[in-house]
Amino acid sequence: MSAASPAAAGGDTPATSPDVPPERRFEPDLRSMTRINLRPIASPMPLGFFTIAIASVMTGCLQLGLFDEAARPAVAFTVLPAFVLQLLVSILAFGARDVIAATLMAVFAGSWLPYALVMLSGAADGLQVLGVFNLALLCFGALMTAVTRPKRALWFVLAASLPRWAATGLAGITGAEWLTRTSGALGLVVALVAMYTAFALMLEDMRSEQVLPIGRSGPAHLAVEGDLAVQLRNLERQAGVRRTL
């Protein structure tokens, strides 16, 4: 026994594609009734870059020999909060629909956690393991530089981090003291670049205009300087709106 459709009861026959089985039911077009709500948030990026700067200063000073070897656990405790803070920044960046910033901050967060745990535990061959880990980060960073160029703030921090990851990785594997010192010096360079970027982004967010050069270009420049229509372009195809990732 089959029930009559509302369209048939009203005397109107809906148009049906010849390729669609007659028993298949179609939902009405809901696009006119669909609303997508966007929630503005404060930019989490200054927090992320300040965290990179502070953690890089602590680890760099340890590598340069400014702290005694016995200070490793203390340095690890000061670096451990960087994992939590940058993970928070990454989550907020995903919510802000910035996959590049979110991915980069999540990986930075993931780099601080194993460093702190290895330094705290004093595990055997821990430095060698961290050396391989840093070389893996180097590969990740090299790939990320190809997509972060329009975001020059991110690109410069990442570009400064690449040689440090290389030096740290090789120092952990070979045990060469000069590579450890080089990595420490490069860590201070990363800290300076990240500190400048964080300060510039914070000023921009507070004054709603660029104060210090950041160097956005392409889509990143349009996202800041364009109107609302630019921000909502292709919104229906973005993750969280479309049906699948």
Side-chain angles (χ1 to χ4, degrees):
M1 181 177 180
S2 61
S5 66
D12 296 329
T13 302
T16 305
S17 172
D19 298 330
V20 177
E23 67 274 6
R24 183 172 178 180
R25 181 185 176 192
F26 284 90
E27 296 293 338
D29 188 352
L30 301 179
R31 285 177 294 182
S32 61
M33 296 181 285
T34 300
R35 297 294 182 269
I36 299 174
N37 297 318
L38 302 177
R39 181 178 60 185
I41 63 172
S43 174
M45 298 309 294
L47 172 62
F49 287 122
F50 275 129
T51 302
I52 292 175
I54 294 171
S56 296
V57 167
M58 300 307 298
T59 56
C61 288
L62 179 63
Q63 291 174 314
L64 286 172
L66 299 180
F67 299 137
D68 191 77
E69 287 297 316
R72 283 189 178 188
V75 172
F77 274 119
T78 61
V79 170
L80 190 58
F83 162 71
V84 179
L85 291 176
Q86 290 206 272
L87 183 61
L88 173 63
V89 172
S90 174
I91 293 172
L92 293 174
F94 276 119
R97 302 180 295 143
D98 193 332
V99 66
I100 294 177
T103 301
L104 188 62
M105 288 297 163
V107 172
F108 268 110
S111 69
W112 300 125
L113 181 60
Y115 175 86
L117 294 180
V118 169
M119 292 293 105
L120 285 173
S121 66
D125 296 329
L127 293 180
Q128 288 84 349
V129 172
L130 287 178
V132 175
F133 180 70
N134 277 274
L135 292 180
L137 286 176
L138 176 63
C139 296
F140 158 79
L143 294 175
M144 285 293 291
T145 54
V147 296
T148 56
R149 187 172 294 274
K151 294 174 172 290
R152 291 297 174 86
L154 287 174
W155 189 87
F156 279 121
V157 174
L158 190 57
S161 299
L162 292 181
R164 194 200 183 189
W165 285 332
T168 304
L170 294 176
I173 293 175
T174 64
E177 189 69 18
W178 70 273
L179 281 172
T180 301
R181 297 288 187 261
T182 301
S183 176
L186 290 172
L188 298 184
V189 173
V190 172
L192 288 175
V193 176
M195 192 77 70
Y196 169 84
T197 303
F199 185 63
L201 289 174
M202 184 173 287
L203 282 179
E204 181 184 67
D205 198 60
M206 291 174 59
R207 300 188 184 181
S208 299
E209 62 179 1
Q210 180 173 296
V211 180
L212 296 175
I214 296 177
R216 292 188 183 93
S217 63
H221 177 76
L222 289 176
V224 174
E225 301 296 335
D227 57 16
L228 185 60
V230 175
Q231 314 302 316
L232 302 182
R233 186 178 298 164
N234 295 326
L235 182 63
E236 68 276 9
R237 297 183 180 88
Q238 295 185 8
V241 179
R242 64 177 187 258
R243 185 171 185 177
T244 177
L245 295 176

